Amino acid sequence: MKQLYLVLLIAMLFVAASQQSVTSSEKPEQATYGDALIAGSIGEPSILIPMLAGDSASHEVAGLVFNGLVKYDTDLSVIGDLADSWDISPDGLVITFHLKKGVKWTDGVEFTAEDIMFGYKTIIDEKTPTPYKEDYLQVKKAEMPDRYTFRVIYEKPFAPALTTWGSLIVLPKHLLEGKDITKTEFTRNPIGLGPYKLLRWSPGQEVVLESNKDYFEGRPYISRYVYKIIPDPATMFLELHAGSIDMMGLTPIQYTKQTSTDFYKENFQKFRYPVFSYTYMGFNLKHPWFKDKRVRQAIAHAIDKSEIVDVVLFGLGSPATGPYVPNTWPYNPHVRKYEYSLDKARNLLKDAGWVDRDGDGILEKDGKPFEFSILTNQGNSLRMNTATIIQWRLAKIGIKVNIRAIEWSTFINEFVDKRRFEAVILGWSIGIDPDQYDIWYSGKTREKEFNFVSFNNKEVDDLLEQGRRTFDIEKRKKYYYRIQEILAEEVPYIFLYVPDATPIVHSRFKGIKPTTIGISYNLHKWYVPERLQKHRIEQ
Amino acid sequence: MITYLAKRLFEMIPTLFGITLVSFLILQLAPGKPTDILTEMNPKITPEARERLEKLYGLDKPLMVQYGIWLKRVAQLDFGNSFSTDRRPVMEKIWDTKQPLLERRLFITFMLNLLSMFIIMIIAIPLGIFSATHQYSLYDKITTVIVFIGFAMPSFWFALLLMMFFGIHLHWLPISGLKSVNHDSLSVLGQIADRLSHLILPIFVSAFTGLAADSRYMRSSMLEVIRQDYITAARAKGLSEKTVIYKHALKNALLPIITLMGLSVPGLIGGSVIFENIFGIPGMGQLFYASVMQRDYPLVMGILTIGAILTLIGNLLADIGYMFADPRIRAR
């Protein structure tokens, strides 16, 4: 479960902000109100205030209750949500948001700049236990010239700044002022302004949301959204088959094999799009063997990424070439690729001094055999299978690999933090913004920081710094393209794959338009034609 | 007898204290911290932010100080607030007074386990007696095979098979959860039927897989008793076989079963993680598992302490049970 949180943590910031979107201008013909969508979830939300939540289930539900100032459009550009428009000063230091007028909280009180200011003050408050504080501490000053204008002034230009004003910081001041935000009833019974509002929460069983008839982007067609908690994936799949749930995320085997019957073709629609995350094998660059770039490149040549995608993910993913998702704007398709070639791998290793002298099938250098361990966290079968394939492939060029799966906390605290590893297989969940300062900057190598492979490249440091200091997308593109070239040349990680999300939805739901950011961004536009409605709900 | 009971009660205090201390220390040995869920592998967290969070949870204090604070609170019957992001009081998570009785975690697990224990008893005791009185008969052999199949079968696998058969193939029973989505729109009778139908599979699985132990205990203790001289004497007196078995033998043969029942008292609130997960039952097993995985110290400690108290009470009840069943113990 832990790794789930890990994978979803960072992206949630943005996903939460991008839940809704205005895209379809064409009015669906037979769109009618009514029916309920029952979504299955393994985890239960724990708190419905976005800035206090750490798990994906909480963000998913809270994302339907709260909106942000801005959100991502389907093409990954930033568009207004509660903000009508915004201006960025030429030096990039001041952002002024002009809010939509007449938006109301579901208790009828109008939403104004006061609410943003309150949210901002809450998130930077010492006493608020939130993991998302850092972005807001960059703000030098926040002010509200009038009820519908909110302005923030930064010390230095900070490119990811704009998108941090998503749904994390919007809170109703009139309900929360002067209260201890962690202890109020509001955490489990929030008043929001999003497409849905909370109707009932039965702990451990379900969270029932009701459509917000006064939603500022139009009343959602589906009257109820039920978030049903089913901790066991096998049980959840049976419930899908029995018709008790309408939507769930499928595993690769469920997507490719178990749902390929006529029953599923008739009753369900399946979707597939890349997740904003990638899985990689990272080297400890302080280790004497992996200090040598040629050794890392040789290993890259010896691993067949498409084989891993085919076997581990049943083809439901794409090979990664860098830390970005293919077909998004920061992704550079022209970096050095390491085709699967044992000869190239062997030659590179030979150049680096690794030769099998005693004929036992394992390379040696200075009398030491080339044998190392890949560590990964326990319970993630995808990573274990990936490690096993890599083990088998590397054996072919004379490298002996041992695999160790370790419980998550032990893995992080005892091995990653203390640098007691040779190679790890892990995944990063990435935001839609390409800033990856914390992962690649050479200064971020203290314990608990995230450049734990100890990557150190002056040019990358500069580019990372420049990339986060300008809002000009063309300039940023240039910087991040160059970073990817360097990463591909230096191979601090072997970027393995970007997995696909594979949700399934009952076929009576219409109006779903899959895009790069998934399917749920236009949930309020989904509908069920009258004759197909399953649950009768009084309007 | 009164002094014996008083002595037993008095002994429970240091035992309980010891249990909480050991639990607290063992919990700290596990790597990781409650704040990990917010901070691990989250590039948005700086080391300073991590320290701030740990301070908020009081994790920066020395271990014994933390234990002292905890103990002081518990002495006032307050288990504190959970460390998970919702920060709810521990007692509210276990026994949420804002929810109807049927939706409270402790009640759900307690009711399920009590029902299944009750069913196990009313089946296992006659089963064991019959097996003993008809030792090595065909009946004995068949029941032996059946209860051992139940014992050997992994419950999650058996549960899935039943779900597929009764839930998907026949459409007779719901698959998981405690109630249907349309529960609220049903009549009162319909609601009761809905809830009961959700209980059938879980209780059947837990009873079937739990039958073996109790029926075997019953069989062997019965076998031991009916070989004793006083049974021969009873038979020689010309008492009917029924009187001999049910009046004279059963009473003595029940002693080991009382021990078993006493030992299963903490199990009544413990719940099983696998079992509750597969049936989607929001009980104590799920809560405990999640709290351990998140290193939610106050919640783990709360559940362990309640469990420890119940175990001690269970043992005490078993002892009292002996006194009623066996006059020799009463005399001490």
Side-chain angles (χ1 to χ4, degrees):
Chain A
M1 213 147 124
K2 224 31 177 306
Q3 62 270 24
L4 237 177
Y5 294 133
L6 145 85
V7 169
L8 288 156
L9 249 170
I10 316 157
M12 276 346 281
L13 241 166
F14 304 96
V15 176
S18 62
Q19 285 282 355
Q20 298 88 33
S21 162
V22 247
T23 42
S24 58
S25 49
E26 27 152 4
K27 190 83 183 141
E29 274 172 63
Q30 354 152 242
T32 40
Y33 297 108
D35 212 345
L37 172 70
I38 303 169
S41 163
I42 288 180
E44 181 180 8
S46 74
I47 187 163
L48 294 182
I49 296 182
M51 70 171 70
L52 298 180
D55 58 303
S56 61
S58 298
H59 279 295
E60 218 172 297
V61 175
L64 294 172
V65 176
F66 293 97
N67 282 40
L69 291 185
V70 293
K71 65 184 173 187
Y72 283 103
D73 200 356
T74 49
D75 64 354
L76 304 185
S77 60
V78 180
I79 54 170
D81 194 2
L82 287 166
D84 234 348
S85 61
W86 60 89
D87 318 308
I88 300 169
S89 66
D91 57 6
L93 292 177
V94 183
I95 309 177
T96 311
F97 294 97
H98 306 285
L99 308 185
K100 283 194 175 113
K101 287 175 189 161
V103 177
K104 289 206 169 73
W105 296 96
T106 50
D107 62 356
V109 175
E110 196 186 17
F111 159 79
T112 64
E114 295 265 2
D115 297 320
I116 303 278
M117 185 58 102
F118 175 73
Y120 163 70
K121 281 190 177 146
T122 310
I123 205 166
I124 58 167
D125 189 333
E126 273 289 290
K127 291 200 254 343
T128 308
T130 170
Y132 311 109
K133 209 182 287 269
E134 291 313 307
D135 283 343
Y136 303 92
L137 293 175
Q138 313 276 336
V139 177
K140 193 170 77 180
K141 201 171 153 217
E143 53 192 33
M144 18 176 207
D146 62 61
R147 273 167 69 78
Y148 303 105
T149 314
F150 180 69
R151 180 176 298 147
V152 276
I153 299 148
Y154 287 82
E155 198 89 49
K156 285 188 271 182
F158 183 52
L162 185 55
T163 53
T164 58
W165 301 96
S167 63
L168 279 180
I169 30 85
V170 180
L171 286 175
K173 183 182 178 189
H174 64 283
L175 294 172
L176 288 171
E177 197 173 22
K179 289 189 181 153
D180 179 352
I181 190 171
T182 60
K183 299 223 173 76
T184 126
E185 275 292 294
F186 192 87
T187 58
R188 293 178 72 79
N189 190 10
I191 301 291
L193 37 61
Y196 286 87
K197 54 185 179 186
L198 189 81
L199 183 69
R200 183 176 66 237
W201 182 347
S202 312
Q205 300 180 59
E206 58 186 17
V207 181
V208 183
L209 302 171
E210 186 181 41
S211 68
N212 173 7
K213 294 195 174 104
D214 305 316
Y215 183 48
F216 67 96
E217 287 191 353
R219 173 182 167 189
Y221 292 111
I222 296 168
S223 299
R224 271 192 197 172
Y225 183 94
V226 182
Y227 199 78
K228 200 166 162 58
I229 297 126
I230 306 170
D232 185 81
T235 308
M236 198 194 292
F237 191 61
L238 291 179
E239 290 279 23
L240 181 80
H241 194 108
S244 324
I245 58 173
D246 300 315
M247 179 164 98
M248 70 178 275
L250 297 176
T251 62
I253 195 163
Q254 285 169 345
Y255 187 91
T256 51
K257 306 272 187 264
Q258 287 170 284
T259 55
S260 58
T261 59
D262 286 341
F263 172 80
Y264 280 98
K265 280 185 189 130
E266 274 164 36
N267 293 296
F268 290 94
Q269 40 190 335
K270 291 191 274 190
F271 300 94
R272 183 182 159 187
Y273 48 87
V275 181
F276 279 79
S277 74
Y278 62 87
T279 297
Y280 62 89
M281 177 160 102
F283 299 106
N284 185 349
L285 302 177
K286 293 264 189 242
H287 190 281
W289 301 348
F290 296 123
K291 259 185 193 157
D292 190 333
K293 184 165 92 182
R294 290 167 297 185
V295 172
R296 305 190 305 259
Q297 289 176 335
I299 291 174
H301 270 303
I303 293 172
D304 186 357
K305 291 175 189 173
S306 49
E307 171 188 61
I308 294 174
V309 171
D310 286 343
V311 175
V312 176
L313 298 176
F314 290 81
L316 297 172
S318 38
T321 57
Y324 300 108
V325 176
N327 303 321
T328 57
W329 69 262
Y331 175 75
N332 181 351
H334 305 298
V335 299
R336 174 168 176 184
K337 295 191 180 68
Y338 295 86
E339 74 281 6
Y340 176 64
S341 163
L342 294 182
D343 288 337
K344 284 188 180 168
R346 285 197 192 99
N347 287 337
L348 280 163
L349 285 170
K350 204 190 216 164
D351 293 346
W354 290 96
V355 186
D356 182 11
R357 291 190 178 81
D358 56 7
D360 64 350
I362 296 171
L363 304 174
E364 292 98 25
K365 184 180 174 182
D366 309 330
K368 278 191 204 141
F370 202 150
E371 179 178 352
F372 72 96
S373 295
I374 297 178
L375 308 187
T376 190
N377 58 307
Q378 214 168 48
N380 189 319
S381 59
L382 298 183
R383 288 179 194 164
M384 273 310 281
N385 294 344
T386 305
T388 311
I389 292 175
I390 291 174
Q391 179 184 44
W392 174 66
R393 282 292 174 193
L394 293 189
K396 296 196 169 206
I397 53 166
I399 298 175
K400 190 170 178 216
V401 173
N402 305 306
I403 302 171
R404 281 182 71 190
I406 303 162
E407 191 256 344
W408 179 252
S409 293
T410 318
F411 178 45
I412 298 300
N413 289 305
E414 299 299 318
F415 293 91
V416 173
D417 285 346
K418 303 211 161 84
R419 307 289 185 265
R420 283 162 50 194
F421 66 94
E422 286 142 347
V424 292
I425 292 184
L426 273 173
W428 279 120
S429 193
I430 44 181
I432 297 178
D433 192 276
D435 182 35
Q436 292 189 0
Y437 190 81
D438 296 283
I439 299 174
W440 303 112
Y441 190 72
S442 61
K444 293 282 180 184
T445 49
R446 282 184 291 166
E447 189 171 318
K448 295 280 178 200
E449 289 188 324
F450 301 101
N451 185 0
F452 50 78
V453 296
S454 311
F455 182 65
N456 190 340
N457 184 299
K458 187 76 188 57
E459 193 183 350
V460 170
D461 285 355
D462 291 343
L463 288 165
L464 284 167
E465 186 66 36
Q466 285 168 313
R468 65 193 333 220
R469 296 291 170 227
T470 173
F471 287 83
D472 184 336
I473 210 160
E474 285 310 312
K475 274 193 197 155
R476 296 189 80 194
K477 202 166 166 170
K478 224 173 68 202
Y479 301 143
Y480 292 113
Y481 265 43
R482 179 67 192 135
I483 289 176
Q484 285 168 78
E485 281 168 18
I486 298 169
L487 290 179
E489 178 64 29
E490 293 292 325
V491 211
Y493 288 178
I494 294 177
F495 299 96
L496 296 168
Y497 57 79
V498 174
D500 283 343
T502 47
I504 189 167
V505 186
H506 196 273
S507 53
R508 71 177 193 277
F509 295 95
K510 314 286 181 196
I512 306 174
K513 298 204 174 73
T515 64
T516 335
I517 55 170
I519 56 170
S520 56
Y521 67 95
N522 71 339
L523 188 69
H524 65 291
K525 298 275 185 203
W526 296 10
Y527 65 93
V528 182
E530 183 116 45
R531 65 189 164 86
L532 295 175
Q533 291 194 357
K534 189 175 166 190
H535 303 279
R536 295 280 150 210
I537 287 148
E538 293 135 52
Q539 301 294 321
Chain B
M1 188 174 129
I2 304 287
T3 46
Y4 171 72
L5 278 180
K7 201 173 135 226
R8 283 294 313 267
L9 275 171
F10 188 70
E11 274 170 9
M12 276 165 68
I13 296 167
T15 319
L16 190 62
F17 181 76
I19 292 173
T20 59
L21 183 64
V22 172
S23 311
F24 193 87
L25 294 178
I26 288 180
L27 204 54
Q28 307 287 337
L29 285 179
K33 287 200 170 115
T35 47
D36 286 354
I37 181 179
L38 294 174
T39 59
E40 282 306 354
M41 287 289 137
N42 176 359
K44 294 279 171 204
I45 282 275
T46 58
E48 294 76 35
R50 172 184 303 274
E51 270 166 34
R52 268 202 304 273
L53 275 174
E54 280 167 13
K55 209 169 156 197
L56 271 174
Y57 285 99
L59 296 172
D60 54 337
K61 299 195 179 75
L63 214 54
M64 282 337 271
V65 176
Q66 287 184 42
Y67 179 72
I69 294 172
W70 180 83
L71 199 64
K72 207 170 135 195
R73 260 209 319 261
V74 171
Q76 299 157 6
L77 296 177
D78 174 14
F79 285 110
N81 287 344
S82 160
F83 276 176
S84 73
T85 47
D86 60 11
R87 305 297 298 266
R88 291 163 74 207
V90 167
M91 272 324 280
E92 191 186 305
K93 286 197 150 186
I94 297 171
W95 190 258
D96 189 351
T97 46
K98 281 181 229 117
Q99 298 290 333
L101 187 66
L102 288 173
E103 311 269 307
R104 297 178 195 171
R105 280 187 188 271
L106 186 59
F107 183 80
I108 290 166
T109 299
F110 187 74
M111 178 192 63
L112 265 177
N113 286 336
L114 200 67
L115 277 173
S116 86
M117 188 167 136
F118 180 70
I119 287 171
I120 289 175
M121 285 299 163
I122 58 171
I123 296 175
I125 291 175
L127 216 62
I129 296 171
F130 257 80
S131 285
T133 51
H134 301 79
Q135 199 186 6
Y136 304 134
S137 67
L138 186 62
Y139 166 83
D140 183 27
K141 284 172 186 156
I142 291 172
T143 50
T144 306
V145 169
I146 292 175
V147 296
F148 273 99
I149 287 176
F151 183 66
M153 216 158 20
S155 61
F156 74 92
W157 179 76
F158 185 47
L160 281 176
L161 286 188
L162 291 177
M163 283 175 184
M164 277 164 81
F165 187 67
F166 289 104
I168 288 182
H169 190 70
L170 294 176
H171 276 289
W172 285 359
L173 294 172
I175 293 170
S176 71
L178 285 176
K179 58 182 191 211
S180 305
V181 175
N182 61 350
H183 181 82
D184 289 343
S185 58
L186 298 171
S187 63
V188 177
L189 272 181
Q191 290 192 355
I192 294 171
D194 184 48
R195 282 193 186 267
L196 287 180
S197 69
H198 279 85
L199 289 181
I200 294 175
L201 283 185
I203 289 183
F204 180 74
V205 170
S206 98
F208 189 62
T209 50
L211 212 50
D214 288 6
S215 69
R216 291 286 98 183
Y217 266 112
M218 192 64 228
R219 180 179 181 270
S220 63
S221 80
M222 195 65 175
L223 278 176
E224 205 176 296
V225 169
I226 52 179
R227 288 201 193 99
Q228 305 231 343
D229 290 346
Y230 77 96
I231 296 294
T232 320
R235 287 202 177 113
K237 271 203 298 196
L239 292 176
S240 72
E241 188 63 16
K242 234 183 191 162
T243 323
V244 172
I245 298 293
Y246 292 102
K247 196 149 179 241
H248 294 255
L250 183 60
K251 234 181 177 178
N252 282 306
L254 274 178
L255 273 180
I257 300 290
I258 294 175
T259 319
L260 268 187
M261 280 171 72
L263 288 177
S264 53
V265 167
L268 283 179
I269 71 136
S272 139
V273 181
I274 298 172
F275 185 77
E276 287 182 0
N277 266 352
I278 202 127
F279 282 108
I281 296 168
M284 298 293 290
Q286 269 187 20
L287 186 69
F288 188 58
Y289 180 71
S291 65
V292 170
M293 293 316 278
Q294 294 177 11
R295 310 286 191 265
D296 185 348
Y297 299 150
L299 188 51
V300 175
M301 284 306 294
I303 297 175
L304 283 178
T305 309
I306 295 174
I309 293 172
L310 283 177
T311 311
L312 295 174
I313 292 178
N315 286 346
L316 190 68
L317 285 178
D319 284 355
I320 296 172
Y322 288 152
M323 288 183 194
F324 283 106
D326 190 339
R328 283 167 302 180
I329 301 173
R330 216 179 312 165
R332 264 196 291 153

